[in-house]
Amino acid sequence: GQSLEQPSEVTAVEGAIVQINCTYQTSGFYGLSWYQQHDGGAPTFLSYNGLDGLEETGRFSSFLSRSDSYGYLLLQELQMKDSASYFCALTGGGNKLTFGTGTQLKVEL
Amino acid sequence: GAVVSQHPSWVICKSGTSVKIECRSLDFQATTMFWYRQFPKQSLMLMATSNEGSKATYEQGVEKDKFLINHASLTLSTLTVTSAHPEDSSFYICSAADPGLAGGPHNEQFFGPGTRLTVL
């Protein structure tokens, strides 16, 4: 099977940069995605890494290292609205997603 | 982006009754949809893959006779929780990938807004 571990909670101040790590165990996958979920809401797509390296999308960047079974999401210029849960997810066969344990990000003034 | 809707957004039912949740892709056709369950403060757990015109495939540990899935058209999948019990109370979310975006740089799935089920 697949498993993905994330820190349960991260706290940062508005305007700062925060990194959310994701370590995984899998026998094979196509890529690593990141999703944001506000309380009671639907997950929304943030970023995807099909290859090793850094992908940048506005204030969000994501990194993947297959050799280290590791990825991270980097959020820059933090805003209060970024307070949410963040999930990494592996894409397997049939486009199925296996989600990580999730990280609750709290942005403080 | 592609839009996925769910209905109802919340439902309260008595123990032993059945509840049907609908998932619709509004502006694209989805041959495959996915159903997830999320308990409070936990991650999303894939329950099953819904395939248009064929039987759903269930993840290990998910009772197919309890969670009935029907994918009768390219825009609609339904999940029926049969004989619901309080332990089935959860947030049920569906998702779909837009095949029109397949092969692009992303591998994005679009999620419905979720259905909060409370079984009394």
Side-chain angles (χ1 to χ4, degrees):
Chain A
Q2 298 179 320
S3 66
L4 301 91
E5 293 291 327
Q6 301 176 235
S8 59
E9 190 175 306
V10 172
T11 302
V13 296
E14 195 175 30
I17 300 172
V18 71
Q19 178 174 312
I20 299 175
N21 298 320
C22 173
T23 57
Y24 60 83
Q25 291 185 327
T26 181
S27 57
F29 69 105
Y30 291 104
L32 183 72
S33 301
W34 288 89
Y35 285 82
Q36 178 193 63
Q37 185 183 32
H38 286 96
D39 280 347
T44 55
F45 174 84
L46 294 177
S47 189
Y48 174 76
N49 293 78
L51 301 173
D52 280 9
L54 190 68
E55 289 287 337
E56 297 180 82
T57 310
R59 293 190 299 118
F60 301 102
S61 302
S62 60
F63 174 82
L64 173 64
S65 169
R66 289 175 183 260
S67 60
D68 295 322
S69 297
Y70 164 74
Y72 67 73
L73 178 70
L74 194 71
L75 296 86
Q76 302 181 71
E77 301 172 17
L78 278 177
Q79 302 174 9
M80 296 298 290
K81 67 177 182 180
D82 296 329
S83 293
S85 291
Y86 292 83
F87 295 92
C88 56
L90 290 176
T91 301
N95 208 28
K96 294 200 295 186
L97 292 177
T98 301
F99 282 86
T101 51
T103 299
Q104 185 172 9
L105 172 63
K106 295 183 179 179
V107 181
E108 300 176 334
L109 290 172
Chain B
V3 179
V4 175
S5 70
Q6 278 184 245
H7 177 80
S9 55
W10 59 270
V11 58
I12 301 173
C13 69
K14 293 182 179 180
S15 185
T17 61
S18 294
V19 174
K20 180 186 285 188
I21 302 170
E22 294 184 347
C23 176
R24 294 181 185 273
S25 56
L26 298 185
D27 51 2
F28 67 100
Q29 295 183 327
T31 55
T32 302
M33 292 183 174
F34 302 93
W35 287 96
Y36 298 84
R37 180 167 55 182
Q38 185 178 32
F39 293 107
K41 303 296 184 184
Q42 294 188 23
S43 186
L44 288 81
M45 298 299 296
L46 179 65
M47 299 175 66
T49 302
S50 174
N51 305 297
E52 188 270 334
S54 64
K55 291 183 179 181
T57 53
Y58 291 81
E59 296 301 301
Q60 191 172 7
V62 178
E63 300 173 60
K64 63 179 182 180
D65 295 329
K66 181 170 183 62
F67 299 100
L68 301 179
I69 292 172
N70 185 290
H71 196 148
S73 77
L74 287 171
T75 59
L76 173 64
S77 174
T78 60
L79 168 68
T80 301
V81 183
T82 63
S83 187
H85 288 93
E87 57 266 29
D88 299 322
S89 297
S90 188
F91 193 49
Y92 291 86
I93 312 173
C94 68
S95 75
D98 185 346
L101 298 177
H106 306 293
N107 198 34
E108 182 176 359
Q109 285 195 20
F110 298 91
F111 285 82
T115 297
R116 189 161 301 282
L117 170 64
T118 302
V119 185
L120 301 177

